[in-house]
Amino acid sequence: MRVGIVCPYAWDVPGGVQQHVGDLAEALGAMGHEVSVLAPVGDPDHRTPPYLVPAGRPVPVPYNGSVARLSFGPRTAARVRRWIAEGGFDLLHIHEPAAPSVSLLACWAADGPIVATFHTSNPRSRAMAASSGALRSALEKINARVAVSEAARRTLVEHVGGDAVLIPNGVSVRRFAHAEPLPGWPGRGGSIGFLGRLDEPRKGLATLLEAFSRMAPHRPELRLLVAGPGEADLSGVPDSVRDRVVLAGRLDDADKIRAYHSTDVFCAPNLGGESFGIVLTEAMAAGAAIVASDIPAFGAVLDGGAAGELFRVGDADHLAERAAALLDSPERRAGLSEAARLAVRAYDWDTVAADIAHVYETVLTLGDGAAAGVRLDGGRRSSGASRRAHPRLRGERS
């Protein structure tokens, strides 16, 4: 198949959707499919893969409790239409069609076989509620809807209606399985790791810093490795232990993998708004002993606590208690590491990409307009193929 994939968020800014799209493109390519990805790119000097087509410069927009870098407007719309017209695609796969960016523009511009994946988990999503009318017109064109988690599926159902096929985010298990630790890590006195945007409150770094500040005075050599883009606010960390918070900044792919292997305990203290938890599956693939907040998405990925410790979301004392217990028990860490490596196999891209390709094949088989492939919309609100798509793939009752 020749597949066009649309990512609404800036490619040169780290994010779960961007990573999912990039990994999916590579996995589909390894299966023999031809893939082109359309996404905004803000930095013209950013190194992009050969399958990436820039859709224009993004602008920062408050979106679903975060700041998303989106691209829209007449110039971007023209680039979207040109990409569709020249792509010769058998099928489009649009990620986050509710995002007011190239994804929604592609839904409006295209006619033919379309699959959409929903990543967002936010029961009070003002953005999705506000765009529900525009989204409904786009959804009429979509042959199959995929949600990466039960939380993402529930958000879709509550705001738009219908349903979706559940296919989780993927992770390249082999890529993360083995790596040398970063120089000097994990160290003799124990170490805790964090990876995520440092200036995004919902990632929960403030909770982890508070927990570390409670633990550090009783553990003279304990260190905290903090990696990710943005500026960290260390003002709440006592001066006496602040030098043991090591800010590694934004890491390249190779050093990110090494970071997962550099700590005794990996922490995901997110406060909410996560539909899945790619950072968890990466850490699991690396065999990390994990302590994570008990938000529903994390609890699902960690098998209710069997593949990693859970603590009460936002509770620094509980986090400190759970992390300390893991630091003091090499046996427990080893057990969680083994459990994580086993559990993460279900999320390996070999499995996930095959499931997604099966959805593609089903759409192309069941839609009798599919032979024409993807083309520019000639003005109709929805294609004949999408109206005749299988009800379960479109999220309807059969």
Side-chain angles (χ1 to χ4, degrees):
M1 289 175 280
R2 178 159 174 77
V3 182
I5 304 180
V6 185
C7 174
Y9 306 130
W11 192 261
D12 48 322
V13 177
V17 176
Q18 296 94 312
Q19 182 160 341
H20 176 101
V21 169
D23 287 347
L24 173 60
E26 293 179 11
L28 291 173
M31 295 168 66
H33 304 295
E34 294 182 56
V35 180
S36 175
V37 174
L38 182 72
V41 178
D43 180 2
D45 297 324
H46 182 76
R47 186 176 180 180
T48 57
Y51 54 74
L52 194 282
V53 176
R57 287 183 175 272
V59 295
V61 176
Y63 183 71
N64 276 336
S66 181
V67 176
R69 287 159 177 79
L70 311 172
S71 185
F72 46 85
R75 183 174 297 180
T76 299
R79 291 182 178 181
V80 171
R81 292 180 65 83
R82 183 167 62 248
W83 177 75
I84 292 171
E86 297 174 356
F89 301 120
D90 297 306
L91 176 141
L92 282 190
H93 188 171
I94 297 175
H95 290 257
E96 295 287 57
S101 186
V102 291
S103 290
L104 191 55
L105 291 173
C107 276
W108 286 337
D111 195 16
I114 299 175
V115 173
T117 291
F118 295 81
H119 298 258
T120 298
S121 169
N122 190 343
R124 294 174 295 279
S125 173
R126 282 185 255 173
M128 189 174 284
S131 65
S132 61
L135 181 57
R136 286 179 195 280
S137 68
L139 285 177
E140 290 182 1
K141 295 183 169 187
I142 293 171
N143 301 78
R145 292 188 276 183
V146 176
V148 300
S149 68
E150 178 59 33
R153 187 199 69 80
R154 190 180 307 114
T155 298
L156 172 65
V157 170
E158 290 176 353
H159 288 283
V160 179
D163 211 331
V165 178
L166 284 178
I167 301 178
N169 281 308
V171 62
S172 177
V173 172
R174 288 185 295 274
R175 187 192 308 168
F176 286 85
H178 304 287
E180 289 294 319
L182 296 170
W185 293 89
R188 295 180 304 172
S191 58
I192 301 173
F194 169 91
L195 180 65
R197 286 203 61 88
L198 310 187
D199 52 4
E200 191 168 323
R202 69 186 179 96
K203 299 302 181 183
L205 178 58
T207 302
L208 176 56
L209 291 173
E210 186 178 347
F212 179 80
S213 298
R214 285 164 165 68
M215 299 168 64
H218 310 289
R219 298 170 181 268
E221 295 183 281
L222 178 65
R223 291 185 297 165
L224 174 61
L225 176 63
V226 176
E231 297 291 327
D233 181 6
L234 302 183
S235 60
V237 180
D239 293 341
S240 59
V241 300
R242 193 175 299 172
D243 63 342
R244 288 193 266 149
V245 178
V246 180
L247 301 177
R250 179 175 173 176
L251 302 177
D252 61 24
D253 288 343
D255 280 344
K256 180 177 73 169
I257 296 172
R258 296 178 72 188
Y260 286 120
H261 290 268
S262 296
T263 56
D264 297 300
V265 174
F266 181 80
C267 183
N270 305 49
L271 302 180
E274 307 289 343
S275 69
F276 181 77
I278 289 179
V279 68
L280 287 188
T281 54
E282 291 178 347
M284 291 164 72
I290 298 168
V291 58
S293 56
D294 62 355
I295 61 176
F298 286 3
V301 172
L302 292 175
D303 195 17
E309 291 279 4
L310 297 170
F311 72 93
R312 291 186 294 273
V313 60
D315 189 333
D317 288 331
H318 198 211
L319 169 54
E321 174 189 316
R322 289 295 173 92
L326 284 180
L327 288 169
D328 292 337
S329 177
E331 297 81 8
R332 175 62 174 158
R333 295 202 305 272
L336 287 178
S337 173
E338 180 62 24
R341 289 185 187 274
L342 290 174
V344 80
R345 293 177 184 175
Y347 304 105
D348 189 78
W349 269 116
D350 289 347
T351 299
V352 173
D355 289 344
I356 292 173
H358 179 68
V359 172
Y360 296 168
E361 292 161 1
T362 303
V363 166
L364 293 175
T365 300
L366 294 176
D368 37 31
V374 177
R375 55 212 175 271
L376 287 174
D377 191 320
R380 293 167 295 168
R381 290 190 63 189
S382 62
S383 70
S386 68
R387 286 195 298 269
R388 287 184 287 270
H390 195 282
R392 288 185 180 175
L393 288 176
R394 293 194 64 205
E396 300 169 1
R397 300 294 181 188
S398 57

